[in-house]
Structures are given as structure tokens and as C-alpha cells.
Amino acid sequence: MQADVTAQKEAAGKLEAQRWLYEQILEQTMAGYWDWYVKDNTEYLSPGFKKMFGYKDYEMENTPEAWQEIIFEEDLEKVFRVYEDHISSRGKSPYYAEVRYHHKDGSTVWVICTGKVIEWDEDWQPVRIVGAHVNITKLKEQQQKLTYQQNLLGALFKLSPIGIALTDFETGSFIDANEKLIEYSGFSKDELLGLTNQDLTPPEYTGNESRINKVMKARGAFAPYEKEYIRKDGSRYPVQMRGKLIEDLNGRSLVWSFIEDISERKAQRLKLEEALANLQATLDASTQVGTVATNNSGTITWVNSGAERMLGYTETELVNHASPALFHLQEEIEARALALSEQYGETVEGFETFVFKARKGMAESIQWTIKRKDGSIFPSIVSVTAIHRQDEIIGFLGVLTDISEQKKTESEMRSLLQITESQNERLKNFAHIASHNLRSHAVGISGLLELWQEKEPGIFDEEIPQMLLKAAENLDDTIEDLTEVVKINLSDSFFEILPLKKLLKKNIDSVSVQTRRSGLTINTDVPDDLMVQGNPAYLNSVLLNLITNAAKYSSPERDSYLTIKASAKNGYACITFEDNGLGIDLKRHGHKIFGMYKTFHKHPDSRGVGLFLAKSQLENMGGTIRVESEAGKGTTFTINLPLAE
């Protein structure tokens, strides 16, 4: 009996030693070992298995549930399918799957899960399964990078704006080509892949092609060069090619070629040449621009026809006979020479007066008075540049632009500016007088109301006298705003931080009689803390206009309402005024809805200035207004104002 026990212990010891040896081997190969007794539902998970997922041996139980909790849910289903196939086939179907686990630090671990039933019962049900998990995360990451690079290269190959081709270096046969090259050539892809580079190249380029091949064989690449390709229809098109010599896995020499259709570039080059020719013709024909060239000493060597017309001299009279001093005023030349001498601390005189800065590499365009052959004069902007041959100045080019019309326009603009300033001053004086006189009347009205209140204090408990008091207060506020506008026009300050809800309530209260008479119900949804930046007089005017419009143009056929909502969005306060009034036919009137003196309904108080003023005032404050409307249903105005900073 004692011998049997001893033998069992020795066998168990050998088994444990063998397991330890397996674990050491597996851990060296980034693998983890597991041993599952299916019927008992107990499973040994090696320390290497647990370490693979960031756990120490004692942190993960040796149960199937332990690893099932950290495997990806969809991959667990895959493992179960593989397990079932392995069992149902009595081990013939391999127990193999690539699955993902959640690492303790939150990252993903890819593993190869492989196993085998090593013990069956009499009914071919598994008793014991052993297996291993091999960490293939780095391999998967490399595969993903490789797939990304392949996809990227594939996309570049497919979407490249120039043609790309892979050809056999020895035969020139096309192995692959992208869509752009196929588009250039007019062939289908199958047709093109049955051709060679030589088939598309005109025979006169054969010698050049041989030279390119020698260069490519020696250097492994060839620099850009131009040639022609033949399309399917027999026509030719110019291309620019560059290429790289590579080897495939079998050692075969291949060429990646980048082939750009330069037809448009060639056409642009021709257009440029044509444009230069036209420019020369324009310079020759221009009457407003004159061009004069001189040599280094100042003798005129060339003039265009524009200079001849501008100056009144012929080419024969100027070229090789005169200098630019001929058509300049002597007093201006002397003044300019003195200014340059003082500025640069050296003597400047004669022809150098015209070219001093150009000779030093500085651009210069200044105004001169030009004297014609007949003695008349005109103002001109003269630009002078040096003419270089390599690094040497060989002459100068002057371009004269007649600015007589420009000077005339400047004079007219100065006159208009003086008139505008005078009118603005009159308007300011009018605003001063109007605000002063209105304030006098407002003070008088307020004084009368105060006397009435002192004499009959009880009557002011009634609604109408209270409304009269409120109207007087609002009139006083309006005059105050007008005064502020006058101050604003006389100073740099303009905008204030304004509480939108408070201003809105004030304007609703000020027209309460009008809204009651029209049967208009006003609903508001405006945040208490919504502050905007603007001119108080302008904003009050805009709010009042939109509220009174809803009252004036309410529909007698239904209960009228005006809903005012506001919210902050993208640095602006968005305020909507939605009513169910008469509405406007925007198809007929939309283009003139914000015009001056434009009315769309018959109403005794309609003057057609309210919306015009509202739009002008909002734009002055950096805001906008837009309208949505349907005749017979109602109107929605949306205004946007900058939020207070």
C-alpha cells in the first residue's frame, strides 16, 4: 500500500515537473498554457497566460469564467464555435482561433488560441483539454500597418492626378496601369496591358528611349523628360515621364513610371507667349502708358508708340538724340536732386536724379510733371527699373502713366467730401436742436402730469393715467437715446452692453395700448442674462418696429399672437419675432421688403420706412435681419446681434 502511494507521488511530481517545463518553454515564446478539466469545470491558467493580459498569478482565478470575462464578446462566440466543431468532429477539426482580449490597462491583446482534447470518456465527450495562447499583438499591429500602407498606396495609385504604370524593364510590357493613364490613352485596361511602352512611343523617340534605359540601368532611375504617346485613335499627346527601377520577389527588373499629360501645360505656354506678344503690342498701342528705355549714361535707346503720342515727339527725335530731361521741368529735377543728396549724403545730379534708386536696386514710382513738345504739361507717375544683363546694369526702363483723369477725379472727390462734411455738420446741428426742443416739450408734459398728480392723486390709481405716465417716461427715454446718438456721432464711443430682456419689456409696455386694440397677445422667451452689444437707440427702434408691425398687420380673422424668442449662438444673440398676421407674398415683394418707402398692406400708419431703418440700424451694429413669410399665414423676422464681450 505504501509503495502505491509512493508511486503516485512520484508520478504527480513528474507531471508537475513536466508542466513546469512546458510553462517555461511557452513563456519564452510569449505564450500561456491552460489545462481544462471539462466535466469538473476547473481550469489551470499558467502564470504566463495571466501575465499576457497584465495580471499576476494571484489576481486571476483558475476558472473558465476568469478568461471568459476579459475576452471580447464577439470573439467568445467564435471560441465556442471552434470548440463545438472540435468536439463534434472528435478532434479532427482543429481547435484554433485568433481572438482579442482586454488587457488590464485597457489595451487590446491579440492571441492565437489553440488546443486539443487529450482525454475522452466512453461517449466521446471531452474530459480534458489542454492548449496555449500565443501573443500575436505585435504581428497584428504590423499587419494593420501593412494593410494601411497597401490601402494608401492603392488609393494613391487609383486616385493619382497623373498616370502611373508598372512595366517590365526588359520588354517594356505593361504589367499594371492606373485609371488616369488609361484615361489619357483611350485604351481599356485590358487593351493597354497587352501593349508595350514601345507600342505607344512614336518611332522618332526610339534613340532617346535607349539612352533613358541606359541611364536607368546605371542609376536606378531617370529624371523627368518630355516625349509623346500615341492614343488609341492614333492622335498624339505630350507627356512628361520620370521613373524608378525596382526588382520583384523573383529578381525581375520592373519600372514604376509616372506619366503626366502636359497638353494643358503646353497650351498654357503657347498662351503665355501669345500674351507676351499682345503685351508688347499693347505697350506700342497704348496712349495712356509710355515706355522709354535708356542706356547707362542716359541716352534714350527705345520708345513705344504710346510715349510718342504722350510726349508729342517722334521716335527719330528721341532715340539716340535726347535724354529724359527733355520732357521734365528743370525746377523739379533740381528739387529732386537736392532731396536725394540730403537723404543719402552724396551728390546726385543730372541723369542720376532719375535712376539713383533703381541703380541701387530700389523700386521707385514717383509723380513728375511731364512737358510735351508743344509746351503743355500733364501729371504722370513714372516707374524706373534697371535693365540687367547677368549681374551688370546695361540701362534703364521708365514707364510713364498719364494720371490727368485720376487727378481730376481726386479734385472732384475732395469737393464732394467738403460738401458731405458740411451736410453732416448741418445734420448734427439739426439733431442738437431737435433733441433740445423735444426735451423741452417732454419736460413740459412730465411737469403737467406731476401737477395733475399733486392735485388729484387718486386718479392715478386708474389704468389710463398710469399708462399716460408710462408713455411720458418712454418719451423721455427716447429723447435721452436721441441725445446719446448725437454724442456718439461726435465721439469715438458707440456701442454699449445692453440687457435684451429689459429693453424688450420696455418696448412692449410702451405700445401696450396699440397691442390691446389690435387684440395681439405677446409671448416672450428671453433669458434674463442675455446681453448684447449695440446702440441703445438703434436697438429700441428695431424692437419697437417689429412689435408694432405685428400689431398693425394682425389678421382680423383669428386670435393674433406675437412670439418673441432669443438664444445665444456662435457669438450672436438670435432673436425671432413670429406672428400669425397677414403675412407677405415674398415671391412678389421679397426683393424690396427692406426698401425705403415700400409698403405691402393698406394701413393708415404705413409709411414704408420701418423695415428699412431696422435693417440699416442692425447692420450698423454688426447685425443682420432676414424674413420668412407666407401671405395669409404670418411672418417670422430673425435678427442676429453680437453678444456682449
Side-chain angles (χ1 to χ4, degrees), residues 283-295:
L283 288 174
D284 288 339
S286 175
T287 59
Q288 299 300 312
V289 177
T291 307
V292 178
T294 72
N295 60 20

Side-chain angles (χ1 to χ4, degrees), residues 444-458:
I445 292 171
S446 297
L448 288 172
L449 287 172
E450 288 175 4
L451 290 173
W452 187 16
Q453 191 171 18
E454 290 175 3
K455 188 175 180 181
E456 299 182 56

Side-chain angles (χ1 to χ4, degrees), residues 402-419:
D402 187 342
I403 57 171
S404 301
E405 288 299 320
Q406 179 182 332
K407 286 291 182 179
K408 181 180 177 183
T409 302
E410 287 177 0
S411 176
E412 292 173 351
M413 288 180 66
R414 280 194 295 270
S415 176
L416 287 172
L417 182 60
Q418 291 173 355
I419 294 171

Side-chain angles (χ1 to χ4, degrees), residues 1-35:
M1 184 70 174
Q2 182 65 36
D4 292 340
V5 172
T6 301
Q8 289 177 359
K9 286 184 177 181
E10 289 177 354
K14 289 180 180 179
L15 182 62
E16 187 62 33
Q18 190 177 39
R19 173 182 285 180
W20 179 86
L21 180 61
Y22 288 158
E23 287 178 359
Q24 297 307 307
I25 294 171
L26 289 169
E27 287 189 15
Q28 291 301 317
T29 58
M30 298 181 68
Y33 167 73
W34 51 270
D35 190 347

Side-chain angles (χ1 to χ4, degrees), residues 298-588:
T299 302
I300 295 173
T301 57
W302 175 82
V303 295
N304 73 335
S305 55
E308 290 182 286
R309 296 188 187 96
M310 188 180 293
L311 302 174
Y313 293 97
T314 65
E315 181 182 8
T316 304
E317 291 174 307
L318 294 173
V319 173
N320 297 325
H321 293 92
S323 79
L326 175 67
F327 45 83
H328 283 75
L329 299 181
Q330 186 60 33
E331 57 268 29
E332 284 191 357
I333 298 173
E334 292 174 357
R336 178 63 177 164
L338 180 61
L340 289 171
S341 299
E342 292 177 351
Q343 182 179 358
Y344 291 96
E346 58 181 285
T347 302
V348 179
E349 59 186 5
F351 175 66
E352 288 301 306
T353 305
F354 303 111
V355 301
F356 180 81
K357 285 193 173 182
R359 195 182 291 279
K360 292 182 177 294
M362 295 181 284
E364 182 180 44
S365 295
I366 64 171
Q367 181 177 330
W368 290 91
T369 301
I370 303 300
K371 181 177 63 176
R372 298 186 182 92
K373 182 179 179 179
D374 63 9
S376 61
I377 59 175
F378 65 91
S380 173
I381 294 294
V382 180
S383 301
V384 180
T385 56
I387 303 172
H388 291 83
R389 179 181 295 157
Q390 297 179 347
D391 295 330
E392 181 186 359
I393 295 176
I394 61 171
F396 298 89
L397 187 69
V399 179
L400 293 71
T401 304
D402 187 342
I403 57 171
S404 301
E405 288 299 320
Q406 179 182 332
K407 286 291 182 179
K408 181 180 177 183
T409 302
E410 287 177 0
S411 176
E412 292 173 351
M413 288 180 66
R414 280 194 295 270
S415 176
L416 287 172
L417 182 60
Q418 291 173 355
I419 294 171
T420 302
E421 288 174 348
S422 175
Q423 290 175 339
N424 283 343
E425 192 62 35
R426 292 176 187 174
L427 286 172
K428 290 177 184 178
N429 291 335
F430 169 76
H432 277 298
I433 294 168
S435 63
H436 177 270
N437 291 347
L438 284 173
R439 179 174 290 281
S440 298
H441 292 308
V443 170
I445 292 171
S446 297
L448 288 172
L449 287 172
E450 288 175 4
L451 290 173
W452 187 16
Q453 191 171 18
E454 290 175 3
K455 188 175 180 181
E456 299 182 56
I459 198 169
F460 279 84
D461 293 334
E462 297 180 9
E463 184 179 12
I464 292 178
Q466 287 180 357
M467 292 170 62
L468 190 58
L469 276 174
K470 189 67 176 177
E473 291 174 5
N474 289 338
L475 176 60
D476 191 56
D477 289 343
T478 300
I479 295 169
E480 186 66 31
D481 287 342
L482 179 59
T483 304
E484 287 301 314
V485 170
V486 174
K487 291 179 181 177
I488 288 165
N489 280 297
L490 295 174
S491 67
D492 294 331
S493 176
F494 189 79
F495 296 127
E496 297 178 14
I497 296 174
L498 305 172
L500 182 60
K501 187 169 185 177
K502 182 178 178 181
L503 290 181
L504 192 59
K505 184 179 184 305
K506 167 190 163 183
N507 282 280
I508 291 173
D509 290 344
S510 70
V511 294
S512 58
V513 174
Q514 184 178 350
T515 55
R516 283 188 183 184
R517 287 177 179 170
S518 64
L520 180 70
T521 300
I522 300 179
N523 305 303
T524 63
D525 181 10
V526 179
D528 294 336
D529 59 349
L530 189 58
M531 310 294 284
V532 296
Q533 187 170 277
N535 179 297
Y538 285 178
L539 184 53
N540 278 320
S541 174
V542 171
L543 297 175
L544 194 63
N545 260 314
L546 296 177
I547 294 169
T548 55
N549 273 358
K552 282 192 289 188
Y553 305 117
S554 60
S555 173
E557 299 177 357
R558 50 185 172 268
D559 294 337
S560 299
Y561 67 81
L562 171 64
T563 300
I564 305 173
K565 295 182 179 180
S567 62
K569 185 177 182 181
N570 297 329
Y572 284 82
C574 179
I575 313 160
T576 59
F577 296 76
E578 179 185 354
D579 67 52
N580 65 338
L582 297 176
I584 304 168
D585 186 348
L586 293 181
K587 290 183 178 179
R588 291 181 58 193

Side-chain angles (χ1 to χ4, degrees), residues 79 100 141 167 184 270 278 292 398 415 533 547 576 588 638:
V79 170
R100 295 162 296 167
E141 290 174 350
T167 56
Y184 292 161
L270 290 173
N278 290 337
V292 178
S415 176
Q533 187 170 277
I547 294 169
T576 59
R588 291 181 58 193
T638 302

